[in-house]
Amino acid sequence: QVHLVESGGGLVKPGGSLRLSCAASGFAFSDYYMTWIRQAPGKGLEWVSHISTAGLIISYADSVKGRFTISRDNAYNSLDLEMNRLRAEDTAIYYCARSRITSSGWDPYDYWGQGTLVTVSS
Amino acid sequence: SYVLTQPPAVSVAPGQTARVTCEGDNIGVKSVHWYQQRPGQAPVVFIYQDTNRPSGIPDRISGSNSGNMATLTINRVDAGDEADYYCHVWDSDRSRPVFGGGTKLTVL
């Protein structure tokens, strides 16, 4: 049974930092790209960042580039997102999700965590 | 950057057919995935690679993709289909995924 469990969300002041984690189980973690996707209250889905299977390919949305850092530890089946210089517009539920690249192209995000809420407010 | 446009809302009577569109430049050459998101829950894959249904998704659900439009079709709609629906493609020019803005399906 595939499980993705996010943690680390909470209330933080503008300019502050937070570290999110995603614990994975039930699948070969090192075979999958891992992604952070966020959803602001009442809004749609926004891709934040992803990291390749071995961590060699990393991409960020323009809105978080230079402030957020994604990382993974395949030995511990974990994914992290270090978030610095947080802004009010970073307030959202943050989901981790898995996907793969195949010969047919990119698979969908077939498993998502339940999400962790980050609130940036003074 | 690549943009996907969805109608914010679609309303349909029970038993009728709902169509949720996703418009993008030459989207027909891309592989489109659809997600269903119920209130308070994480998104779930609904259709993948244009037309494929994950296990557990009934055959009254279908997808198509051609030209500048991808469409999610839900036949014989019932109250359980009320949810937000998102389309998703890979933007090969910027090497990143793109989501549509989402469509709220209301069953009248």
Side-chain angles (χ1 to χ4, degrees), chain B residues 6 13-17 34 37 41 58-59 62 64 82 90-91 93:
Chain B
Q6 296 183 238
Q16 299 303 303
T17 297
W34 291 90
Q37 186 180 33
Q41 297 185 18
D59 62 5
S62 64
S64 63
E82 280 205 339
W90 179 257
D91 179 359
D93 289 342

Side-chain angles (χ1 to χ4, degrees), chain A residues 37 39 43-47 50 59-62 65 95 102 104-114, chain B residues 31 33 35 37 40-45 47-49 84 86 88 90 94-102:
Chain A
I37 295 162
Q39 186 170 35
K43 302 297 185 182
L45 303 173
E46 179 188 15
W47 170 77
H50 67 218
S59 295
Y60 299 97
D62 293 342
K65 200 167 191 176
Y95 297 100
T102 68
S104 305
W106 278 87
D107 279 354
Y109 300 113
D110 61 347
Y111 282 93
W112 301 57
Q114 84 289 349
Chain B
S31 181
H33 311 305
Y35 303 87
Q37 186 180 33
Q41 297 185 18
V44 172
V45 179
I47 289 285
Y48 66 97
Q49 292 166 0
D84 295 326
Y86 294 90
H88 157 218
W90 179 257
R94 297 200 71 195
S95 295
R96 57 190 57 192
V98 176
F99 289 101

Side-chain angles (χ1 to χ4, degrees), chain B residues 19-33:
Chain B
R19 293 181 179 85
V20 180
T21 58
C22 177
E23 192 171 357
D25 184 38
N26 207 19
I27 194 175
V29 303
K30 297 183 181 297
S31 181
V32 179
H33 311 305

Side-chain angles (χ1 to χ4, degrees), chain A residues 9-10 14 18 27 34 42 48 53-54 65 70-71 73 76-78 81 90 92-93 97 103 106 110 112-113 122:
Chain A
L18 214 53
F27 67 101
M34 295 301 298
V48 173
T53 54
K65 200 167 191 176
I70 191 172
S71 61
D73 188 334
Y76 290 95
N77 294 343
S78 68
L81 185 69
D90 295 319
I93 296 172
S103 57
W106 278 87
D110 61 347
W112 301 57
S122 54

